[in-house]
């Protein structure tokens, strides 16, 4: 069975998907980490987003692996563990732009579909239900208000000892929403058969329980 979770930046897709995967015994495929890894490579190697040849060459030189070590997901870029580096705000913003490039999407698409064909998976991103896994048995469009998403991100950064500007975070989220929804290739949108789930007034446990119950009912358990 495949579960597709789509939604805008900061909606909590990855957090929810990881918890649902653990509860159901599904494999969690972190597509966002894959795009962030490519974004990190582009930043570190000064790959211009306006140079299609450079993008094609870069994609040929990128190898991404997602491993689970002691039950914790680790992301490797060309053999180096980049699990922490890819969570930087700068990398997240670049990932949104990188994901609009066809060469990048083509590189990751076949890998993601192969994994889903062989496993019970939950996959989150911007276009999982509409493009990557159009035949997924369960599709969720997970969202929350911009203010709610900004506050969640703000609290997360504060808990890490940082001193973020919540107004800048809100502006960044609005910009990423615009980029994701208006990109030419596989833009962010709700699949016709997806369930719209606004989590502005829900906690994590409620969202996880909702998706788990939905899956169990669908599978007949």
């Amino acid at each position: 069975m495949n579960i597709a979770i789509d939604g805008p930046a900061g909606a909590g897709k990855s957090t929810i998907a990881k918890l649902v995967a653990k509860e159901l015994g599904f494999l969690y495929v972190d597509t966002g980490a894959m795009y962030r890894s490519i974004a990190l490579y582009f930043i570190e190697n000064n790959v211009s987003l306006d140079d299609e040849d450079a993008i094609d060459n870069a994609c040929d030189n990128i190898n991404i692996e997602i491993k689970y070590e002691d039950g914790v997901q680790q992301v490797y870029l060309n053999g180096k563990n980049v699990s922490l580096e890819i969570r930087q705000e700068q990398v997240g913003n670049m990932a949104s732009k990188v994901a609009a490039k066809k060469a990048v999407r083509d590189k990751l698409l076949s890998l993601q579909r192969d994994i889903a064909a062989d496993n019970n998976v939950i996959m989150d991103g911007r276009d999982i239900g509409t493009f990557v896994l159009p035949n997924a048995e369960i599709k969720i469009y997970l969202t929350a208000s911009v203010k709610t998403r900004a506050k969640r991100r703000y609290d997360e950064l504060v808990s890490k000892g940082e001193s973020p500007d919540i107004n800048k975070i809100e502006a960044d989220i609005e910009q990423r929403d615009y980029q994701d929804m208006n990109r030419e290739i596989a833009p962010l949108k709700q699949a016709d058969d997806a369930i719209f789930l606004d989590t502005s007034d829900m906690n994590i446990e409620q969202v996880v329980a909702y998706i788990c119950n939905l899956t169990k009912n669908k599978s007949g358990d």
Side-chain angles (χ1 to χ4, degrees):
M1 177 177 282
N2 294 170
I3 303 174
I5 299 183
D6 291 308
K13 300 183 298 297
S14 297
T15 299
I16 297 300
K18 289 174 188 174
L19 292 171
V20 171
K22 185 175 182 181
E23 180 74 20
L24 296 174
F26 278 36
L27 177 67
Y28 169 58
V29 181
D30 190 345
T31 63
M34 293 177 172
Y35 283 109
R36 283 172 175 264
S37 297
I38 291 181
L40 178 64
Y41 182 93
F42 278 28
I43 292 171
E44 291 182 340
N45 292 276
N46 297 312
V47 178
S48 171
L49 294 178
D50 296 322
D51 189 338
E52 297 298 333
D53 288 337
I55 292 172
D56 289 343
N57 291 333
C59 287
D60 289 339
N61 293 322
I62 293 174
N63 180 52
I64 299 168
E65 295 176 281
I66 295 180
K67 302 178 182 179
Y68 282 84
E69 299 172 359
D70 296 325
V72 178
Q73 177 187 274
Q74 303 294 336
V75 184
Y76 286 82
L77 172 62
N78 293 341
K80 177 189 174 186
N81 190 325
V82 294
S83 303
L84 294 179
E85 289 96 320
I86 63 173
R87 296 305 167 188
Q88 298 173 75
E89 205 72 17
Q90 175 193 16
V91 177
N93 290 332
M94 173 63 90
S96 179
K97 299 171 185 174
V98 162
K101 299 300 180 180
K102 185 176 186 301
V104 173
R105 305 197 70 79
D106 288 347
K107 181 175 182 66
L108 296 180
L109 180 60
S110 60
L111 173 61
Q112 293 162 356
R113 284 180 172 169
D114 287 347
I115 295 172
D118 295 332
N119 301 275
N120 288 326
V121 304
I122 180 164
M123 198 178 295
D124 70 286
R126 302 289 192 277
D127 63 342
I128 307 303
T130 56
F131 184 67
V132 179
L133 300 178
N135 297 317
E137 288 85 352
I138 293 177
K139 299 179 184 179
I140 305 288
Y141 187 85
L142 193 72
T143 190
S145 68
V146 171
K147 287 190 177 297
T148 297
R149 288 184 277 144
K151 181 63 165 61
R152 289 172 181 171
R153 180 61 176 158
Y154 174 84
D155 291 342
E156 178 186 351
L157 293 172
V158 169
S159 71
K160 294 178 180 178
E162 299 182 33
S163 302
D165 179 345
I166 193 165
N167 292 320
K168 184 179 185 306
I169 293 173
E170 193 169 318
D172 285 345
I173 286 175
E174 288 180 331
Q175 176 62 26
R176 287 185 65 185
D177 284 355
Y178 180 82
Q179 288 173 183
D180 292 340
M181 292 176 179
N182 291 278
R183 68 192 186 197
E184 185 175 345
I185 302 172
L188 167 65
K189 62 180 180 179
Q190 180 181 348
D192 292 338
D193 52 349
I195 295 170
F196 183 87
L197 188 58
D198 187 325
T199 67
S200 298
D201 298 316
M202 298 173 72
N203 61 35
I204 290 174
E205 291 77 14
Q206 290 172 322
V207 179
V208 170
Y210 178 87
I211 296 175
C212 286
N213 288 334
L214 193 68
T215 305
K216 290 171 183 175
N217 290 336
K218 188 81 171 181
S219 63
D221 292 344

